[in-house]
Amino acid sequence: MVFAVVLNTVLLAIVWLLPKKLLTLAGIIHAWILGVLVWVSLGWQGYAVVVFYFLVGSGITRAGMAQKEAAGIAEKRSGARGPENVWGSALTGALCAIGSFLVPLCLPDTSKWLVPLLLLGYVASFSTKLADTCSSEIGKAYGQRTFLITTLQPVPRGTEGAVSLEGTLAGVVASVAISLVGWGVGLIPLWQVAVCVVAAFIGTNIESVIGATLQSRFDWLTNEVVNILNTLIGAIVAMLLAQGLSQI
């Protein structure tokens, strides 16, 4: 616990001192809370996954920033993340991490099968969110042709529910990369990397459908709420796939 507090404080102090702000001050405070929760629940292994997500996601958000800002489709605050972004991206993963820590304490008889599923859900949630971030940001910056996912009609870059070949490929690569990190640190077995990639692809495309059909109709359906739904879908799909495959 003490080590987690010190490590998070040092790393986030460095983030705050960087000339390019990756987090707002409030975002740093909430990221600190998230980092401590993850370290206490999953140790350095879980922390490595969330740090990988943060670094790659922040870098990708800044890709083609000048073009995106000129077109009016860039993330607000030039990509600096606030509390809403932190929890929109990480709430599902945080709940999976906390669950994997508490289940052996509260439900020891069920921990042998539930904890591995929660670990998979943790990795899959960040795999889904990174796929979503990369597909969206690369599509907005470099997509040559963008289509509305529900009709496949051409639409401008940055349209809610728009997809592109460039963005889709970037999302797949990102989900593979972070899933391999999850495997490399021992959170999931190698075969579940494919499960995470499939779940991320499904979750990301469902998120695009939500953006194209529902988001403009409901004021409460903000980007952050959609992100929570996106990661939740990815985690649930991954766990259901893993359970189904394990029965074959």
Side-chain angles (χ1 to χ4, degrees), residues 6 27 29 44 57 68 76 78 89 99 115 122 216 221 231 233:
V6 173
I29 294 171
W44 69 268
K68 289 184 286 190
K76 60 185 179 180
S78 296
S89 301
V115 168
Y122 176 81
S216 63
L221 202 57
T231 55
I233 290 168

Side-chain angles (χ1 to χ4, degrees), residues 101-166:
F101 177 76
L102 292 178
V103 165
L105 299 178
C106 302
L107 302 169
D109 293 337
T110 61
S111 63
K112 289 185 179 180
W113 68 269
L114 188 53
V115 168
L117 279 182
L118 289 169
L119 294 178
L120 172 61
Y122 176 81
V123 176
S125 71
F126 284 109
S127 177
T128 303
K129 189 64 196 79
L130 189 60
D132 173 55
T133 298
C134 290
S135 61
S136 175
E137 296 301 329
I138 294 300
K140 287 191 291 186
Y142 306 113
Q144 297 300 306
R145 301 169 67 192
T146 51
F147 305 89
L148 195 65
I149 192 169
T150 51
T151 65
L152 298 184
Q153 294 299 311
V155 291
R157 295 180 190 176
T159 301
E160 290 292 348
V163 295
S164 67
L165 176 60
E166 295 83 357

Side-chain angles (χ1 to χ4, degrees), residues 67-232:
Q67 300 98 301
K68 289 184 286 190
E69 288 182 335
I73 56 175
E75 290 291 321
K76 60 185 179 180
R77 301 185 296 253
S78 296
R81 305 300 206 218
E84 71 280 9
N85 304 114
V86 171
W87 296 112
S89 301
L91 180 60
T92 299
L95 292 175
C96 288
I98 294 170
S100 69
F101 177 76
L102 292 178
V103 165
L105 299 178
C106 302
L107 302 169
D109 293 337
T110 61
S111 63
K112 289 185 179 180
W113 68 269
L114 188 53
V115 168
L117 279 182
L118 289 169
L119 294 178
L120 172 61
Y122 176 81
V123 176
S125 71
F126 284 109
S127 177
T128 303
K129 189 64 196 79
L130 189 60
D132 173 55
T133 298
C134 290
S135 61
S136 175
E137 296 301 329
I138 294 300
K140 287 191 291 186
Y142 306 113
Q144 297 300 306
R145 301 169 67 192
T146 51
F147 305 89
L148 195 65
I149 192 169
T150 51
T151 65
L152 298 184
Q153 294 299 311
V155 291
R157 295 180 190 176
T159 301
E160 290 292 348
V163 295
S164 67
L165 176 60
E166 295 83 357
T168 299
L169 291 176
V172 171
V173 171
S175 65
V176 171
I178 195 168
S179 299
L180 286 173
V181 172
W183 164 70
V185 299
L187 292 178
I188 59 173
L190 183 57
W191 68 272
Q192 287 184 355
V193 169
V195 171
C196 288
V197 174
V198 172
F201 184 80
I202 293 172
T204 299
N205 281 283
I206 291 177
E207 189 265 355
S208 295
V209 172
I210 293 172
T213 59
L214 298 176
Q215 194 165 359
S216 63
R217 300 182 185 181
F218 303 100
D219 292 338
W220 59 267
L221 202 57
T222 63
N223 285 337
E224 290 70 41
V225 172
V226 172
N227 285 337
I228 293 172
L229 293 174
N230 175 37
T231 55
L232 184 61

